[in-house]
Amino acid sequence: MNTQTNLPEVFGALADPTRFAIVERLLKEGDLPVGQLAEPFKMSAPAISRHIKLLENAGLIERRIEKQWRVCALKKDRFADLHQWIERYRTFWNTSFDRLEALLDKQQGEDDDSSR
Amino acid sequence: MNTQTNLPEVFGALADPTRFAIVERLLKEGDLPVGQLAEPFKMSAPAISRHIKLLENAGLIERRIEKQWRVCALKKDRFADLHQWIERYRTFWNTSFDRLEALLDKQQGEDDDSSR
DNA sequence: TCTTCATTTAACTTTTTTATTAATTAATGA
DNA sequence: TCATTAATTAATAAAAAAGTTAAATGAAGA
């Protein structure tokens, strides 16, 4: 993971429902201009503009200029960082799962014993 | 994913550096009582207590009573939810990667052509 | 050049979050 | 029972986040 990546900042960017919805929409529909991203919300344009800027500062999206529009696109690096982070926790929950499996196996073994 | 899971709320819980550090510590060191989790911070005990409550409300940890201590433990479900969420984004960045690979392969092929 | 469209910046208000100290609860063990 | 330890709740102050309207920027095209 990029050492500059400030995970709490990235989580903060995703903590707002409006910003989360914007990110989800970019995943589902691909790159979109600011105006189109703003449409589903009754919020003012400046409010949306700030949300998008915050997402950009967190490294989750980037903006490019195309004719008179600013087109937003997801940036893969931060998502890869998030993935790498959560993968570390997988060990933790897989262990729990393995323990459950072991327990079930053990019970199965005991059931077999009792049927002899 | 559990439909009740409010991802922005979970991200909000992880957006604070203190809470993030607490979660990371629980992963590295396992279950710990509130008092021990509080030690590395110069913050007051009530402040830490609130942070831990917020993590609990977001479903990231749970507290159990053991003698006079409240022991905190990670709860795997929310982490699994996070993992499932980020996995959806993997498609997006793998696609980019595949395109890069395709481009490199293509260039390789063109290089071979030019050497003929 | 002038107008229009898309978006941002400024100035400001409201709401939410986070921290503090003081007081309270609850369990332990002399 | 009483003192001690562990942690939480209450009341409140300070800081950060998010929204609004009005004004500014900047490219497009008549």
Side-chain angles (χ1 to χ4, degrees), chain A residues 21-32:
Chain A
I22 286 171
V23 167
E24 286 280 280
R25 185 141 173 243
L26 287 173
L27 178 68
K28 287 174 199 145
E29 303 184 26
D31 305 0
L32 286 171

Side-chain angles (χ1 to χ4, degrees), chain A residues 99-116:
Chain A
R99 278 185 194 144
L100 178 62
E101 267 195 334
L103 184 69
L104 292 171
D105 287 350
K106 187 165 168 283
Q107 286 185 326
Q108 188 62 45
E110 279 164 4
D111 289 351
D112 290 350
D113 288 348
S114 66
S115 67
R116 255 176 234 141

